[in-house]
């Protein structure tokens, strides 16, 4: 039994993935002995429908000056955030001198479009190394964690915001009530908060359990997000499904009564009722599907190893940490993981210590199989890797189900 971080009622954990390291803590051999592990466990709340981690490691262990995730490593995501910025500029900020804030602004992948258009902006990004990349691009950034206290300081210094944005960051923040209270203070009377995160409905439908790792404290639905903001006299006025990161949902939040509620909102609530997000049966089913997915993948990898096939991981995503450690994928099954991020190269994957090598290593000597840890970027990657397939290379994909693509 645990207490829900959103509604404070008790809830039941429905699954443990066992001991897990920090998903983005790529490490060197001298750090192996002191590697940090915690029990990765998730539960759902029958009262407010929030799915959440039972325990979270301290935020300073995850977000710091050596944070390994740089947003601008995917061309698809670059295009996505250009569209997101464009939507905000054309549809949501009408005042004469608009002010836009983004939390988790990372290397400036989205804010650069506001900066380039001469729009007043502010990034809030606690991981100093990625924040510095944005600052070097001329994007105004504060290196701090966002919360209610910081919201007060911002209002005092810069005034209220027309738009408060976030992508793949709200679900990272355990103290969401402080964030929502901050949003209430920060938004102009007709201002909006727009944020997006991986959507619980997609995780259930695709068994994409690798979305579950230390950084993701929450797995949102329209039901749970609505519950949260209602406590702060804010409301969700629109939802827009997004075809990125394996299925995300964008939420538009406003002061209660300030904007009309869209028909998409109503439709999504109805859809979620059929998913059964408050029912133990739904999450029992998810757990069983996860166990099947693990068994299928590990059996295939054992088989390939027995047959002397070379298997290489493609993209050392945060999600891969859950798959590798939960399934028990060892360096004798997966020779190395190819990744384009310099800070990850030459290091070892958290927990199982599979080497991470440069993309050039992959291109220089194709393996028999590439295990697609970056399945959320499949379209972009498959298009780029036609030569691998032409050379006889095969893909192993495990979401939504195990498949070999020849
Ligand atoms: N928005 C980017 C980055 C997502 S990664 C994208 O979608 O690609 C999540 C980012 O949120 C990290 O850079 C992390 O440092 C930052 N972050 C974590 N907690 C935060 C908080 N409380 N306030 C603001 N940013 C936070
Ligand atoms: P993400 O799934 O958490 O966005 O992480 C993407 C990771 O995948 C990042 O480490 C960069 C890597 N990557 C590649 O190595 N090659 C690629 O073509 C793409 C799109 C990503
Ligand atoms: Zn709850």
């Amino acid at each position: 039994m645990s207490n829900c971080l959103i509604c404070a009622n008790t809830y039941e954990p429905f699954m443990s993935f066992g001991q897990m390291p920090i998903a983005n803590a790529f490490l060197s051999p001298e750090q192996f002995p002191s590697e940090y592990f915690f029990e990765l466990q998730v539960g759902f709340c029958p009262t407010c429908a929030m799915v959440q981690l039972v325990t979270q490691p301290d935020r300073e262990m995850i977000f710091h000056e050596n944070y390994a995730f740089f947003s601008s490593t995917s061309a698809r995501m670059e295009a996505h955030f250009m569209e997101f910025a464009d939507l905000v500029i054309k549809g949501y900020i009408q005042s004469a001198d608009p002010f836009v804030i983004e939390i988790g602004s990372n290397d400036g992948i989205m804010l650069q479009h506001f900066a380039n258009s001469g729009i007043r902006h502010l990034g809030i990004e606690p991981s100093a190394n990625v924040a510095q990349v944005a600052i070097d691009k001329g994007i105004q950034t504060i290196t701090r964690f966002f919360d209610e206290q910081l919201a007060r300081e911002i209002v005092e210094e810069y005034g209220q915001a027309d738009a408060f944005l976030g992508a793949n960051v709200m679900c990272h923040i355990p103290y969401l009530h402080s964030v929502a209270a901050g949003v209430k203070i920060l938004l102009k009377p007709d201002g909006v908060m727009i944020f997006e995160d991986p959507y619980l409905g997609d995780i259930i439908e695709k068994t994409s359990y690798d979305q579950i790792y230390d950084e993701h404290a929450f797995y949102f639905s329209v039901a749970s997000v609505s519950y949260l903001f209602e406590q702060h006299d804010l409301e969700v006025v629109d939802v827009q499904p997004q075809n990125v990161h394996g299925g995300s949902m964008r939420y538009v939040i406003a002061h209660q009564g300030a904007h009309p509620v869209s028909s998409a909102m109503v439709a999504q609530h109805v859809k979620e009722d059929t998913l059964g997000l408050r029912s133990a049966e739904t999450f029992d089913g998810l757990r069983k599907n996860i166990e099947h997915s693990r068994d299928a993948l590990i059996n295939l990898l054992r088989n390939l190893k027995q047959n002397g096939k070379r298997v290489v991981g493609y993209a050392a995503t945060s999600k891969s940490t859950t798959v590798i450690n939960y399934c028990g994928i060892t360096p004798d099954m997966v020779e190395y993981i190819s990744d384009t991020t310099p800070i990850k190269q030459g290091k070892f994957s958290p927990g199982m210590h599979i080497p991470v090598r440069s993309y050039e290593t992959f291109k220089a000597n194709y393996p028999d199989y590439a295990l697609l840890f970056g399945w959320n970027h499949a379209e972009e990657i498959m298009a780029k890797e036609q030569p691998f397939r032409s050379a006889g290379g095969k893909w192993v994909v495990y979401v939504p189900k195990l498949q070999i693509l020849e």
Side-chain angles (χ1 to χ4, degrees), residues 24 26 67-77 168 211 213 215-216 245 314-320 337-341 344-345 356-359 373-378 380-382 384-385:
N24 267 306
F26 294 87
Y67 185 53
F69 177 71
F70 288 72
S71 298
S72 301
T73 43
S74 153
R76 169 82 179 86
M77 293 313 294
N168 308 300
Q211 296 284 9
Y213 56 91
E215 288 185 25
H216 291 169
H245 287 314
Y314 196 105
T317 54
S318 345
K319 292 186 289 300
S320 68
I337 307 170
S338 160
D339 196 282
T340 52
T341 318
K344 296 180 185 176
Q345 295 162 1
V356 181
R357 306 240 157 91
S358 70
Y359 176 49
F373 289 130
W375 58 266
N376 50 316
H377 302 293
E380 175 178 348
I381 291 171
M382 299 274 177
K384 189 163 71 181
E385 299 303 348

Side-chain angles (χ1 to χ4, degrees), residues 218-267:
F218 295 110
Y219 305 86
F220 292 150
S221 55
V222 178
S224 61
V225 168
S226 300
Y227 188 101
L228 166 71
F229 285 101
E230 276 165 21
Q231 310 306 303
H232 298 270
D233 203 25
L234 291 160
E235 71 179 327
V236 186
V237 294
D238 193 21
V239 288
Q240 303 160 5
Q242 302 296 315
N243 187 16
V244 292
H245 287 314
S248 285
M249 188 63 80
R250 185 176 289 168
Y251 307 86
V252 183
I253 319 288
H255 290 290
Q256 198 85 45
H259 288 265
V261 175
S262 75
S263 55
M265 248 306 273
V266 181

Side-chain angles (χ1 to χ4, degrees), residues 184-221:
K184 182 74 192 168
I185 296 166
L186 256 177
L187 284 188
K188 284 184 182 170
D190 62 347
V192 286
M193 173 186 194
I194 310 177
F195 73 93
E196 62 186 41
D197 282 286
Y199 181 56
L200 177 62
D202 286 289
I203 297 175
I204 294 172
E205 279 171 6
K206 297 173 189 160
T207 317
S208 45
Y209 69 89
D210 52 354
Q211 296 284 9
I212 302 170
Y213 56 91
D214 60 310
E215 288 185 25
H216 291 169
F218 295 110
Y219 305 86
F220 292 150
S221 55

Side-chain angles (χ1 to χ4, degrees), residues 54-67:
V54 176
T55 49
Q56 294 102 21
D58 291 342
R59 65 187 190 182
E60 286 79 10
M61 293 188 66
I62 306 175
F63 305 114
H64 42 61
E65 66 289 353
N66 287 313
Y67 185 53

